[in-house]
Amino acid sequence: MKSGGMTDAYCVAKYGNKWVRTRTLLNTLTPRWNEQYTWEVHDPCTVITVGVFDNWHVNGSREDARDQRIGKVRVRLSTLETDRIYTHFYPLLVLQPSGLKKHGELHLALRFTCTAWANMLVQYGKPLLPKMHYVQPIPIRNIEWLRHQAMQIVAVRLSRAEPPLRREIVEYMLDVDYHMWSLRRSKANFHRIMSLLSGIFAVCRWFNDVCMWRNPVTTCLVHVLFLILVCYPELILPTIFLYLFVIGLWNYRFRPRTPPHMDARMSQAENAHPDELDEEFDSFPASRPPDIVRMRYDRLRSVSGRIQTVIGDLATQGERALAILSWRDPRATAILIIISVCLAVFLYVTPFQVVAVLVGLYLLRHPRLRSKMPSVPVNFFKRLPAKSDMLLWH
């Protein structure tokens, strides 16, 4: 990272509101910290972030010098199996105005333990935020302002620590600029959505092939299944849940063996055009064009940043739906397939008309019988992992 080819590297780990910093190892390209930390996990559906930096203040550099980024790793705890030790090399990727740079690999040993399985499984049905966030939600226009103020408070507090964590470190660890306009990130979110829609397109093509008798055997089987479900409608829901159960067990063989890491290809960082990177790393307000163009440019970036966030949220919801049976979160998938087989048995022994009446009455219940808190299925769905943790934000 420096002119001599050596680095004065240190690591910063963040989990929740807890920050730790390792010692700085001087003049080496293969630092080994061998430091161990333990955090009490307040929620399995949270993320731990580890960043590596090059210290530019140990050799009497200028006071305004900035510690250089070497790379960052994010790991969602719910994707880790319980009591298994993961020893994996994570690539350290940094996006710069000149392009994507790989500064090495970080070797981490991770272990997620649990002493109360019942409490952990109950967490999947609890709301993500405190009750007041749902009873009196914060207006969207105030959320970014509050996040900025929270970042300022954290940066001031950590700058007084010993050794201090400087502002650029806090900004990098918190991804404070994730909402800013970036053509590269917009492309990444677009490709995430197209990847989700490709499955729907595949089903439509398959159904069209069935209708066109491209495969007579498949078409005959679909006709037989359709007639059976028409004659015996009580088998529809049990068959669906039993099918989910079988698919979940089948996908168990293909579950991820290692925690996911930054995906440069999915982030559209490998083939980013230099002009796109120049726009992404441009200051805000913009400094390139004249005053009138700068005003229009800044307005476009602000609006496009919101559109980008909405597209990313849509992609996140779809990816959570695909993660239900993919064993990315082994506990969530186990919960679902167990519930699926139980519902399959329950719906098999219960008359379909009774189930339909109960479901209809529940959906049409009076507002006084509705809670302002989200339901358990909604809480469960929001806790499922998405690929947003694998995106290279910067």
Side-chain angles (χ1 to χ4, degrees):
M1 296 294 291
K2 294 185 178 179
S3 59
M6 294 296 177
T7 62
D8 303 324
Y10 65 92
C11 283
V12 176
K14 173 191 175 298
Y15 177 70
N17 59 353
K18 297 182 179 180
W19 297 65
V20 296
R21 171 176 172 167
T22 66
R23 65 187 186 278
T24 300
L25 300 184
L26 306 179
N27 297 325
T28 178
L29 290 176
T30 57
R32 296 184 179 182
W33 291 277
N34 294 324
E35 297 186 17
Q36 178 177 330
Y37 299 95
T38 303
W39 288 275
E40 182 178 353
V41 177
H42 57 86
D43 193 325
C45 303
T46 49
V47 177
I48 183 173
T49 304
V50 181
V52 186
F53 303 91
D54 186 12
N55 195 330
W56 278 42
H57 296 82
V58 294
N59 295 325
S61 302
R62 301 192 318 270
E63 186 64 26
D64 59 347
R66 297 168 62 92
D67 291 350
Q68 300 299 304
R69 305 169 180 177
I70 299 180
K72 180 172 58 178
V73 175
R74 287 192 298 263
V75 178
R76 180 174 286 266
L77 300 184
S78 62
T79 61
L80 305 178
E81 296 182 8
T82 308
D83 293 326
R84 175 182 172 183
I85 299 178
Y86 292 84
T87 55
H88 189 64
F89 286 91
Y90 295 87
L92 295 174
L93 304 174
V94 174
L95 194 64
Q96 299 176 349
S98 58
L100 181 67
K101 304 294 182 181
K102 180 179 179 181
H103 293 149
E105 295 179 334
L106 178 64
H107 189 201
L108 287 178
L110 301 173
R111 183 185 181 188
F112 175 61
T113 61
C114 176
T115 57
W117 273 86
N119 293 337
M120 182 178 63
L121 297 180
V122 169
Q123 287 288 331
Y124 281 89
K126 291 185 177 180
L128 293 174
L129 301 174
K131 182 177 180 180
M132 290 302 296
H133 284 266
Y134 302 100
V135 177
Q136 296 180 356
I138 301 174
I140 297 179
R141 62 180 180 273
N142 295 337
I143 291 179
E144 292 303 327
W145 181 81
L146 291 175
R147 285 176 175 169
H148 177 73
Q149 296 300 320
M151 187 278 298
Q152 298 274 15
I153 296 174
V154 173
V156 171
R157 178 174 62 87
L158 295 179
S159 65
R160 300 171 180 171
E162 184 59 38
L165 282 181
R166 304 183 183 277
R167 182 186 179 89
E168 63 268 18
I169 307 300
V170 177
E171 292 179 350
Y172 182 61
M173 294 292 289
L174 295 179
D175 291 317
V176 296
D177 58 348
Y178 80 100
H179 64 285
M180 299 297 294
W181 162 253
S182 167
L183 185 58
R184 176 189 61 84
R185 288 198 292 262
S186 298
K187 288 181 178 179
N189 289 332
F190 174 77
H191 284 283
R192 290 168 64 193
I193 292 179
M194 294 306 298
S195 177
L196 294 174
L197 296 179
S198 63
I200 300 177
F201 294 153
V203 173
C204 294
R205 288 194 298 266
W206 172 83
F207 184 73
N208 182 67
D209 293 341
V210 170
C211 296
M212 299 299 293
W213 286 78
R214 300 287 175 80
N215 189 335
V217 176
T218 302
T219 303
C220 292
L221 291 176
V222 171
H223 279 75
V224 171
L225 178 62
F226 174 73
L227 294 175
I228 292 176
L229 295 179
V230 169
C231 296
Y232 302 97
E234 65 274 8
L235 296 179
I236 295 177
L237 292 179
T239 302
I240 293 176
F241 285 109
L242 189 60
Y243 181 73
L244 295 177
F245 173 75
V246 173
I247 293 297
L249 288 182
W250 177 263
N251 289 339
Y252 180 77
R253 299 189 308 164
F254 310 103
R255 69 190 187 279
R257 303 293 181 177
T258 58
H261 53 78
M262 304 291 188
D263 192 335
R265 180 174 301 178
M266 189 181 72
S267 304
Q268 299 293 310
E270 294 180 338
N271 302 319
H273 193 273
D275 183 64
E276 297 176 4
L277 295 178
D278 181 72
E279 178 186 16
E280 181 174 344
F281 282 89
D282 190 14
S283 60
F284 188 85
S287 57
R288 304 291 191 272
D291 293 342
I292 185 65
V293 181
R294 178 185 304 173
M295 182 271 295
R296 297 174 180 176
Y297 182 54
D298 295 341
R299 181 176 56 189
L300 175 62
R301 293 179 70 182
S302 178
V303 174
S304 301
R306 296 178 183 178
I307 297 176
Q308 166 188 291
T309 303
V310 172
I311 294 176
D313 292 339
L314 293 176
T316 298
Q317 303 307 320
E319 289 167 354
R320 284 172 175 168
L322 292 181
I324 292 178
L325 299 176
S326 64
W327 291 93
R328 287 193 61 205
D329 185 342
R331 285 161 293 276
T333 304
I335 291 173
L336 183 71
I337 63 174
I338 292 174
I339 293 177
S340 297
V341 71
C342 294
L343 289 176
V345 175
F346 171 77
L347 295 173
Y348 180 79
V349 300
T350 305
F352 178 78
Q353 292 79 1
V354 175
V355 176
V357 169
L358 293 177
V359 173
L361 293 177
Y362 177 79
L363 295 177
L364 299 175
R365 67 192 185 279
H366 193 273
R368 292 184 179 179
L369 301 178
R370 299 177 184 269
S371 173
K372 293 184 179 180
M373 303 296 291
S375 62
V376 172
V378 173
N379 296 329
F380 180 87
F381 181 80
K382 289 185 177 181
R383 290 178 177 276
L384 294 173
K387 294 183 179 180
S388 57
D389 304 325
M390 302 166 60
L391 278 177
L392 183 64
W393 293 108
H394 221 296

